[in-house]
Amino acid sequence: MIEEGSKRGKAMVEKRQLFMEMRAQNFDVIRLSTYRTACKLRFVQKRCNLHLVDVWNMIEAFRDNGLNTLDHNAEINVSRLETILSSIYYQLNKRLPTTHQINVEQSIGLLLNFMVATYDSESHGKLTVFSMKAMLATMCGGKIVDKLRYIFSQISDSSGVMVFAKFDQFLREVLKLPTAVFEGPSFGYTEHSVRTCFPQQKIMLNTFLDVLMADPPPQCLVWLPLMHRLANVENVFHPVECSYCRSESMMGFRYRCQQCHGYQLCQSCFWRGHANGPHSNQHQMKEHSSWKSPAKKLSHAISKSLGCVPIGEPPHPVFPEQAERPQELTHTVQPKPVANNMNDTMLMSSGAPTPTKSVLESPSRLDEEHRLIARYAARLAAEAGNSTQQCPPTDLSFNFDANKQQRQLIAELENKNREILQEIQRLRLEHEQASQPTPEKAQQNPTLLTELRLLRHRKDELERRMSALQESRRELMVQLEGLMRLLKDEEQKQASQSGGSPHSSPSHGAGCSMPMPIRSTSAGSTPTHTPQDCLAGVGGDVLEAFAQGVPRNLRNDLLVAADSITNTMSSLVKELHSVDDGGDEEETNMRNGGDRGTVRVHKH
């Protein structure tokens, strides 16, 4: 008794585990019941790992477990249901990589308890085959159009017409899912649900898909396409700021107000009814499931205006209403026979079965079928070519005209495509130019402005110092030139007076024979100053050469003074060049067309 009580307690805990985890997600704060229901069912789908099982794999599992041979109203017990779920999840783990394996036992327990709580509320321990098929086909992964086509194959007759009684049974079973997640008041089953979906009498496959995939779909099933849209936008990124929570990016849906300019909300704020400023919850909002840059929007608008993009795309491909006739495959290799079922076979054409073969095969059999179809298409093409050669001349001319029109249409489309590509390239170049950094942006940085100001100040100081040194050098060169003339005259005078008075003083004669050019005196005037006055302003080796009372080799002294001046100027020029090059390089990176001061020094 104690063991039985512990088992029951454990079963109750496992039964409530999924619902407790769902309540912890706090989905009830979502204001709209449609989004609230879709989020809850999406959570159950992911928590049970049903989103990893494609609808084709689910149908294959139905066949492998013999459900195609059972009537829709047949009942199966919980132990067999557990066996079916085990085969589904173990086959899933075989398809998944080793790094993405799932916990099979946990997934089986969660899904089994959810199905029992949903479809066995009276605790009979049994479920019908149709309820299990409807639930698993609705909650598994895959495209909604494939799920609806399979469901139509279960509720239609052999001629491809929907049976209203079976559709009513499907609504009874599928609308138990919102009820199981506590959304029964909004999406529970009513007796008028069938007529609100299909008021007409004869419903074929395309009409069935048009109604259930319309925008908006029937009110009782509005949560079904929304659950699939949620799965598609979970990882979609929008680089836009939310107008309420100020989040700089959005994940999932994005909602734009149709009345308030530039007002956009993330899905969390919109679902919870948040609003600020002039925006109100009564305003109409447009739901966006993707992000397009302004350049993409412009290129799409141009393509649309040129007629290269269809304005209204159908929500699903159009399928033949009637089942196609069996193909003649006597000259092809036949595949291995498989068991077909009139209920579980969903045709690609109308959902009704054919007596030849089924479309829902394993991947290996699908590849084999594709090869057969390709072989048969090649045979039909060869037969069409032979029949074309036997056509009368009138048919040939008609085909030639048709081909000519097709070629003209292709040429026009190619021209439009070329124009679109050129426009896209132009927009891309403009976008790249707009995204490149400009000097105005650099000027907004205070650090760069400070460095630029210091470099300009340093450069102005160096330019002033360079100007002063150039002036000093010019004066020194003029003084050296005058001293060289003075030395030359002195040597000539010594040579001419070599036979004269030996007591004449060369220094005195040199000091009074020729004025200095920097004094601005005429060449014939007689100076009234001494040689030391003539050397005023000259220092270093030049002053030493003429300030001594003892005659020296004046030529060597002047050469030494000239070399000293030249070395000093060379070192200064090198320093100026190094600083000026660095400053110009920094200004080239930061300044926007400013004047570049360049100091050019010519070495004499």
Side-chain angles (χ1 to χ4, degrees):
M1 295 295 293
I2 298 176
E3 292 181 358
E4 292 181 359
S6 63
K7 289 182 180 179
R8 290 179 181 177
K10 183 178 180 181
M12 291 297 294
V13 171
E14 292 179 351
K15 184 176 181 180
R16 295 177 180 177
Q17 179 182 355
L18 184 63
F19 295 99
M20 293 173 63
E21 293 180 0
M22 184 180 65
R23 287 183 181 276
Q25 299 296 320
N26 200 18
F27 291 120
D28 291 330
V29 300
I30 299 177
R31 181 171 56 97
L32 302 176
S33 60
T34 305
Y35 289 97
R36 189 169 59 245
T37 305
C39 288
K40 289 181 178 180
L41 292 177
R42 174 62 177 168
F43 172 78
V44 174
Q45 182 190 46
K46 295 180 66 177
R47 189 66 182 85
C48 297
N49 290 314
L50 278 176
H51 66 294
L52 301 176
V53 184
D54 193 80
V55 61
W56 308 106
N57 302 123
M58 190 66 72
I59 298 171
E60 186 178 1
F62 293 160
R63 288 205 192 93
D64 293 341
N65 288 276
L67 297 181
N68 53 347
T69 60
L70 299 178
D71 187 74
H72 281 174
N73 296 323
E75 294 182 343
I76 58 175
N77 54 23
V78 177
S79 60
R80 185 173 181 185
L81 175 61
E82 186 176 2
T83 303
I84 296 172
L85 297 182
S86 300
S87 66
I88 292 174
Y89 283 115
Y90 279 112
Q91 289 295 327
L92 172 62
N93 253 357
K94 291 181 181 179
R95 294 189 297 269
L96 294 177
T98 56
T99 56
H100 293 76
Q101 297 288 304
I102 64 172
N103 190 340
V104 175
E105 298 297 332
Q106 184 182 20
S107 300
I108 293 173
L110 291 175
L111 183 57
L112 180 64
N113 291 323
F114 179 75
M115 294 183 67
V116 170
T118 304
Y119 295 100
D120 188 23
S121 58
E122 298 181 0
S123 300
H124 293 307
K126 294 181 180 180
L127 279 75
T128 63
V129 173
F130 186 72
S131 62
M132 188 191 65
K133 286 184 177 180
M135 186 270 175
L136 293 178
T138 303
M139 294 295 292
C140 68
K143 298 180 179 179
I144 185 174
V145 63
D146 297 332
K147 295 182 181 182
L148 294 177
R149 288 172 61 197
Y150 173 73
I151 292 170
F152 186 82
S153 69
Q154 302 297 298
I155 61 176
S156 60
D157 55 16
S158 59
S159 61
V161 180
M162 187 187 75
V163 180
F164 276 83
K166 291 184 178 181
F167 179 69
D168 181 75
Q169 185 182 4
F170 166 73
L171 285 182
R172 288 177 182 268
E173 301 299 335
V174 77
L175 292 181
K176 290 180 181 179
L177 293 173
T179 305
V181 294
F182 315 106
E183 296 296 334
S186 301
F187 301 105
Y189 171 79
T190 61
E191 296 179 356
H192 305 286
S193 299
V194 178
R195 290 302 174 186
T196 57
C197 295
F198 300 103
Q200 60 269 34
Q201 294 295 327
K202 187 177 181 180
I203 304 300
M204 307 296 287
L205 174 62
N206 291 315
T207 306
F208 180 78
L209 296 177
D210 289 339
V211 172
L212 295 188
M213 296 182 67
D215 188 17
Q219 180 61 30
C220 60
L221 295 174
V222 69
W223 52 270
L224 182 58
L226 179 58
M227 185 178 69
H228 289 79
R229 295 205 307 272
L230 279 175
N232 294 331
V233 302
E234 283 182 348
N235 299 319
V236 174
F237 175 77
H238 304 269
V240 183
E241 183 183 20
C242 178
S243 299
Y244 183 84
C245 65
R246 299 303 176 184
S247 176
E248 295 183 356
S249 59
M250 302 182 189
M251 294 294 292
F253 286 120
R254 174 170 55 92
Y255 297 89
R256 176 186 288 273
C257 182
Q258 301 299 297
Q259 299 182 23
C260 304
H261 177 71
Y263 193 90
Q264 301 188 84
L265 293 176
C266 61
Q267 66 177 19
S268 178
C269 294
F270 176 75
W271 290 353
R272 286 157 176 78
H274 295 325
N276 59 346
H279 178 70
S280 172
N281 290 329
Q282 304 302 323
H283 291 181
Q284 184 179 2
M285 303 290 286
K286 185 176 181 181
E287 182 181 275
H288 295 273
S289 58
S290 62
W291 164 255
K292 290 183 180 180
S293 62
K296 287 184 178 180
K297 289 181 181 179
L298 182 58
S299 62
H300 181 77
I302 295 174
S303 303
K304 190 174 181 180
S305 63
L306 294 176
C308 299
V309 178
I311 298 176
E313 297 182 359
H316 64 84
V318 179
F319 302 99
E321 298 291 354
Q322 300 294 333
E324 295 181 353
R325 297 170 57 185
Q327 298 178 352
E328 178 64 32
L329 300 177
T330 56
H331 299 285
T332 59
V333 179
Q334 296 294 332
K336 297 180 181 180
V338 294
N340 293 331
N341 181 34
M342 299 298 288
N343 291 328
D344 283 337
T345 302
M346 184 182 69
L347 290 180
M348 299 300 291
S349 59
S350 64
T354 60
T356 54
K357 70 192 298 294
S358 169
V359 177
L360 304 175
E361 304 289 349
S362 61
S364 59
R365 295 189 55 75
L366 282 175
D367 295 338
E368 187 176 3
E369 184 185 31
H370 291 166
R371 289 195 293 270
L372 293 176
I373 293 173
R375 222 178 278 176
Y376 186 72
R379 180 184 173 190
L380 290 178
E383 292 177 359
N386 294 333
S387 62
T388 303
Q389 294 177 2
Q390 299 175 0
C391 290
T394 57
D395 294 338
L396 290 176
S397 61
F398 176 78
N399 292 335
F400 177 78
D401 294 337
N403 293 334
K404 184 177 180 180
Q405 293 178 359
Q406 291 178 357
R407 286 194 299 270
Q408 292 177 354
L409 179 61
I410 291 173
E412 293 176 0
L413 292 176
E414 288 178 350
N415 292 332
K416 290 182 179 179
N417 186 39
R418 195 177 299 110
E419 294 175 0
I420 293 171
L421 292 176
Q422 293 176 357
E423 183 67 16
I424 291 174
Q425 183 66 21
R426 185 184 66 80
L427 293 173
R428 185 180 292 112
L429 292 176
E430 291 180 359
H431 179 68
E432 292 176 356
Q433 292 176 0
S435 61
Q436 290 178 356
T438 58
E440 289 79 8
K441 295 180 180 179
Q443 291 178 2
Q444 297 176 0
N445 193 336
T447 306
L448 295 178
L449 288 174
T450 304
E451 294 178 358
L452 181 60
R453 194 177 297 108
L454 292 175
L455 287 174
R456 288 176 178 173
H457 183 67
R458 177 62 176 169
K459 187 173 183 179
D460 293 339
E461 291 180 355
L462 292 175
E463 288 176 353
R464 288 194 298 268
R465 184 179 176 187
M466 185 65 187
S467 300
L469 290 174
Q470 287 278 31
E471 186 65 25
S472 300
R473 183 173 180 269
R474 191 179 300 109
E475 294 179 358
L476 289 174
M477 294 301 295
V478 171
Q479 291 179 4
L480 286 174
E481 183 180 0
L483 291 174
M484 291 297 292
R485 291 177 182 174
L486 187 63
L487 179 61
K488 183 177 181 181
D489 294 341
E490 179 66 22
E491 288 178 353
Q492 291 177 358
K493 185 177 271 187
Q494 287 180 359
S496 61
Q497 294 179 359
S498 59
S501 174
H503 299 286
S504 60
S505 175
S507 299
H508 183 74
C512 300
S513 62
M514 183 177 180
M516 292 295 293
I518 59 173
R519 299 300 180 181
S520 301
T521 57
S522 62
S525 62
T526 302
T528 60
H529 48 268
T530 62
Q532 285 77 7
D533 295 333
C534 296
L535 297 177
V538 180
D541 295 334
V542 178
L543 181 61
E544 183 181 356
F546 292 93
Q548 299 293 336
V550 182
R552 300 177 57 185
N553 192 348
L554 297 179
R555 183 183 298 274
N556 292 336
D557 293 337
L558 289 173
L559 290 176
V560 170
D563 290 338
S564 176
I565 295 172
T566 304
N567 292 333
T568 303
M569 294 304 301
S570 298
S571 62
L572 178 61
V573 169
K574 290 181 180 179
E575 180 183 359
L576 288 174
H577 278 205
S578 62
V579 175
D580 191 46
D581 291 341
D584 287 342
E585 184 176 359
E586 288 291 330
E587 285 190 337
T588 304
N589 295 330
M590 293 185 292
R591 298 180 61 181
N592 182 19
D595 296 333
R596 295 176 175 83
T598 304
V599 179
R600 303 182 184 273
V601 179
H602 301 278
K603 184 176 179 181
H604 296 284

